[in-house]
Amino acid sequence: MPETVRGPVAELGVTLMHEHVFGLSPEILWNWPDIPEGWDLEARAGQAAAKLEALRAAGVDTIVDLTVVGLGRYVPAVRRVAERTGVNIVAATGLYTYDALPPYFANRGPGTLFGGPDRLSEFFVRDLTEGIGGTGVKAAILKCASDHLGMTAGCARVFRAVAEAHLETGAPISTHSHSPSRGGLEQQRLLASLGVDLGRVVIGHAGDSTDLAYLEELIAGGSYLGMDRFGIDTISPFEDRVATVAALCARGHAGRLVLGHDSYCFNDRFDEDVVRRRHPNYHLLHISRDVLPELRGRGVTEDQIHQMLVDNPRRIFG
Ligand SMILES: [Zn+2]
């Protein structure tokens, strides 16, 4: 049974595979607690729970919260949200960087200034098997990232640690990839070389691409594709995102697609008003309200939608 913030559940149901509850900047909040985006756990948890309850009313049962270290993961706050909503929240472990590792990891481990064992995979395994930060909340998925810089030494070290933790625990892997440079292929090559079954891997942000040849190459490798930034229209507009999903469904790939917005209930790195003006569709209800009706209008069947929202997430966590 898949782990969630409230504990294991029998069924994940309708699942958005890439969202975030909170993105926080702890060192900023420690030192400038009076920033306008200031952090009040109870108030922010209440607002987040209300957003998730609206999502539940729209028919979504589960979100996968891919917030890991580097994005401001703070599980005690997410647990407070989970206590106040019926939506299941799946927690993740891993590390988010496009290049260097945080100094805590960069200065230790094999080949570093101070040497010694690499703690990355040890910490990831602990999050998956014992729980995160003393909360008892277990992560159920691993996250790693590479972007426009490609597979830097720091990114590769995270990928290796994620692969080790995956092989030890069986937890699936979800990536942040850079579609313009076809970065998912490099991620697949590295993970496969480390012994990872690419059928347990979601290549995230694949939906930023409209290059069907690239996307089918990723699918041929065996991975799932994250069509997971619906609403971030400045990277790729609504029309392109839905047309790409519809085309991949028409070519028989609904069994390899998962959906999401990559949205945040609260992120102190965004000015909410500016985001709302620039990206009016960047919110948790966009898929339910706008994307699914548009896909149906383009010939995507109920069965294919069920595969993307229910069957594929179940298999990924299976
Ligand atoms: Zn994300």
Side-chain angles (χ1 to χ4, degrees), residues 18-20 66 71 96 143 176 205 229 262-264:
H18 190 142
E19 307 297 340
H20 301 272
L66 287 178
L71 287 169
Y96 184 89
K143 162 96 171 271
H176 163 109
H205 309 328
R229 278 176 158 175
D262 196 8
S263 75
Y264 284 81

Side-chain angles (χ1 to χ4, degrees), residues 163-184:
E164 268 179 51
H166 161 79
L167 293 172
E168 191 170 333
T169 64
I173 298 170
S174 188
T175 75
H176 163 109
S177 73
H178 185 250
S179 283
S181 59
R182 299 160 57 91

